Amino acid sequence: MKILKIKYSEFAVKDLKNFNPAERQLVVKKIQYLAKNFDELRKTKKITELKGTKYKGQFRFVVARKIRVIFRIENDDLVLLVLRAGKRKDIYK
């Protein structure tokens, strides 16, 4: 089982600041969980590859009922790059 390194984009950092402290803590905990268990989660509906050329190579991770994280795996460095984090209704804009 390989553990992915986590990097946050500037957008993701701004997105995290928009959450209240409890939600922010939940999102960060779930991202750490994702980095440790990517291969197992990939087999579930928690992770889905996004469709469309704009989203090529990007995945969605369901953190909570209304919270999503958009990320991609960079190169073979096993780096989980968090692109966006936000409420379901706003994340895909």
Side-chain angles (χ1 to χ4, degrees):
M1 179 171 83
K2 44 194 167 178
I3 296 176
L4 305 175
K5 292 182 210 153
I6 301 169
K7 282 187 185 174
Y8 293 89
S9 72
E10 287 179 34
F11 286 117
V13 172
K14 285 181 185 174
D15 291 342
L16 285 171
K17 288 178 182 174
N18 292 331
F19 286 109
N20 67 46
E23 288 174 327
R24 189 176 316 123
Q25 190 174 12
L26 172 71
V27 171
V28 169
K29 241 187 212 175
K30 290 285 189 166
I31 290 170
Q32 290 169 346
Y33 178 77
L34 168 65
K36 289 178 188 162
N37 301 292
F38 178 74
D39 292 329
E40 290 85 48
L41 287 170
R42 183 92 194 263
K43 298 170 190 165
T44 69
K45 290 185 178 181
K46 292 275 185 195
I47 294 179
T48 313
E49 187 160 9
L50 299 178
K51 293 175 172 53
T53 51
K54 180 181 172 186
Y55 302 111
K56 193 157 181 70
Q58 296 181 14
F59 298 87
R60 172 191 77 208
F61 176 51
V62 179
V63 173
R65 198 164 150 248
K66 293 184 179 179
I67 300 174
R68 304 288 184 269
V69 170
I70 307 290
F71 71 95
R72 72 170 177 247
I73 304 297
E74 286 197 326
N75 312 329
D76 295 326
D77 294 343
L78 303 178
V79 174
L80 176 93
L81 176 64
V82 179
L83 301 170
R84 299 298 307 252
K87 301 286 185 178
R88 189 176 127 206
K89 63 183 177 141
D90 304 322
I91 193 80
Y92 301 107
K93 293 180 183 173

